[in-house]
Every structure is written in C-alpha cells, then in structure tokens.
Amino acid sequence: MEGRLQRSHWSNTVEQYTYTYTDTHGVQRERTGSDGGAELVEITYVPEDPKITKVGRRTTGKLVFGAVLVLLAGVVLLAGVAFVIVGVVALAL
C-alpha cells in the first residue's frame, strides 16, 4: 500500500517517521518507525496482523522505467548508425 508521510520526530537520537495508509479493507492505519523518510513510500503488511509492517522506497518502478528508457535510446542510436552505414555503402557502389 502507498503510505504518505504525516510527521517525523526524534526519539532517543533516532528520527522516527509516521506514515498513514489505507489497507485492503479500507481501514486507515498508521505506521511509525525509523525506516522511511520519503514523502511517499510503499508499505507492506501482513493482512492477518496489520501491525506487522515494512517500509520500502518505491524505487523499483523508477529503476525499471529508467532501464527501459536507456534500452530504447540505445536501440534508436543503433538504428541511426545502421542507416548511416547503409547510406555510405550505397553511395560507394
């Protein structure tokens, strides 16, 4: 589930982050812990015991999207080089 940062505070020299999220049953819940810090995070939890949670950073999707863009740019670049080579060879004949 997507969690939105509500507040942060210091406790025993460790910064604590409180996120709110809505579970699959539509119940709004809070999660407080030292992991997090981003405005939006991915919160996973155990449906049988929603108090057991884990915070992620939502970076996987961004990394995959970036990798796809790099691959597409590489394909376009290789196609351009191939057209130039074909053009040079055609002019040489």
Side-chain angles (χ1 to χ4, degrees), residues 26-86:
V27 176
Q28 187 165 14
R29 300 190 179 275
E30 281 192 352
R31 196 262 188 218
T32 300
S34 61
D35 49 346
E39 183 68 27
L40 295 174
V41 296
E42 188 68 28
I43 296 179
T44 55
Y45 67 96
V46 177
E48 295 80 25
D49 188 1
K51 294 177 185 170
I52 301 174
T53 60
K54 182 178 176 184
V55 172
R57 292 230 182 235
R58 299 186 69 207
T59 56
T60 304
K62 293 177 184 177
L63 290 174
V64 169
F65 180 71
V68 168
L69 284 179
V70 168
L71 288 173
L72 286 175
V75 167
V76 170
L77 181 64
L78 286 174
V81 169
F83 281 122
V84 168
I85 290 172
V86 168

